[in-house]
Amino acid sequence: MTTDVSRITVVDGDAARDIAVRKRDGAAPGVVWLGGFMSDMRGTKAEALDAWAAEHGRALVRFDYSGHGESDGAFEDGTIGRWLAEAVAVFTSCCRGPQVVVGSSMGGWLALLLVRALARRTATADATIAGLVLIAPAVDFTEALMWARFPPEIRHEIETTGRWLRPSDYDTGPQPITRRLIEEGRDHLLLGGLIETGCPVHILQGVRDPDVPWEHALALVSRLAQDDVVLTLVKDGDHRLSRPEDILRMLRAVEAI
């Protein structure tokens, strides 16, 4: 099930790009989908959320980051700050009233950064965040899950050539990891201190996740000391958590908020 695509222009410094958005009108609280690294808004979990929103008459907004899916731009130009600016622009332009933000993998990191960015705005917002559902949240992944784990030869390749093609088991093919992605990501690290969202947080994490270890989710929980946090560990779950039983867990988490 899909909705028609619209486009918004995001201007961030000297860079402007058109971002593809699919919006379903409905009741509040609405749902906002933030996808993962090299994923798009037509994936299994996003489509399942759209079908659920249609069935329950709930509003839903999903979009593709620049360099992803139906949006403009080159993937290798992407950084955490660039994709965060797009998430802020879509949220403020397309959402009204309370929202449950569902972030998968990189989208989990961006969801937490979105909360912080909105809290820093001085203008009154038309939309607020009522809760977060984070699926295998890859918080600080550019540093903690990439750079810190890369062997010296890969670090050298990134530093000297500007990128490294990371092999991937997913159908997206090799993932270009750029020096700019790594260096700019350091401006957005969260795990070095407390994270305050001011809303309920439900984390779904697969124990058999090869990309985001379940211990990483525990580290995130320890930083959310002021919030109401539920952590669900799926013993046989992988990184995608896209099986029917995983989808049901995600939808139940959204419904609970």
Side-chain angles (χ1 to χ4, degrees), residues 142-217:
T142 53
E143 194 70 17
L145 302 179
M146 286 184 175
W147 190 254
R149 297 183 173 196
F150 287 162
E153 59 270 21
I154 291 177
R155 292 191 183 193
H156 179 73
E157 182 174 345
I158 292 172
E159 289 172 336
T160 55
T161 70
R163 72 167 190 163
W164 169 62
L165 291 178
R166 180 190 192 189
S168 173
D169 293 332
Y170 302 119
D171 54 14
T172 53
Q175 300 175 341
I177 309 301
T178 66
R179 184 173 62 192
R180 187 172 178 225
L181 174 72
I182 298 293
E183 292 177 348
E184 198 273 348
R186 291 170 181 148
D187 295 333
H188 307 282
L189 301 179
L190 294 174
L191 294 179
L194 291 181
I195 304 170
E196 297 185 16
T197 69
C199 66
V201 181
H202 194 148
I203 300 171
L204 302 171
Q205 175 68 51
V207 174
R208 296 184 180 178
D209 186 338
D211 300 311
V212 181
W214 63 270
E215 294 91 345
H216 196 71

Side-chain angles (χ1 to χ4, degrees), residues 80 84 88 109-121 129 132 140 185-191 194-197:
I80 299 304
L84 172 61
V88 171
W109 185 8
L110 289 174
L112 294 168
L113 292 172
L114 174 63
V115 170
R116 187 174 70 175
L118 295 174
R120 291 175 174 176
R121 294 170 69 96
I129 296 180
L132 300 175
D140 295 4
R186 291 170 181 148
D187 295 333
H188 307 282
L189 301 179
L190 294 174
L191 294 179
L194 291 181
I195 304 170
E196 297 185 16
T197 69

Side-chain angles (χ1 to χ4, degrees), residues 8-9 23 87-96 126:
I8 69 169
T9 300
K23 181 179 178 181
V88 171
V90 170
F91 188 88
T92 55
S93 299
C94 301
C95 299
R96 299 293 182 269
D126 293 323

Side-chain angles (χ1 to χ4, degrees), residues 33 35-37 39 45 103-108 134-139 141 145 166 168 170 175 204-214 216 234 236-243 246:
W33 170 256
F37 191 68
S39 67
K45 294 188 289 293
S104 177
S105 192
M106 180 180 77
L134 309 180
I135 304 166
V139 180
F141 78 89
L145 302 179
R166 180 190 192 189
S168 173
Y170 302 119
Q175 300 175 341
L204 302 171
Q205 175 68 51
V207 174
R208 296 184 180 178
D209 186 338
D211 300 311
V212 181
W214 63 270
H216 196 71
V234 184
D236 60 347
D238 60 7
H239 184 60
R240 293 193 179 212
L241 291 181
S242 292
R243 301 168 303 176
D246 299 324

Side-chain angles (χ1 to χ4, degrees), residues 1-3 22-33 44-62 99-100 102 247 250-252 254-255:
M1 181 180 296
T2 61
T3 47
R22 294 182 184 274
K23 181 179 178 181
R24 179 177 295 283
D25 293 331
V31 179
V32 179
W33 170 256
T44 303
K45 294 188 289 293
E47 292 284 357
L49 274 173
D50 184 65
W52 174 86
E55 180 182 356
H56 292 81
R58 294 276 289 274
L60 183 136
V61 171
R62 49 186 168 140
Q99 305 291 319
V100 178
V102 183
I247 296 294
M250 175 186 70
L251 296 178
R252 285 176 173 171
V254 172
E255 289 174 342

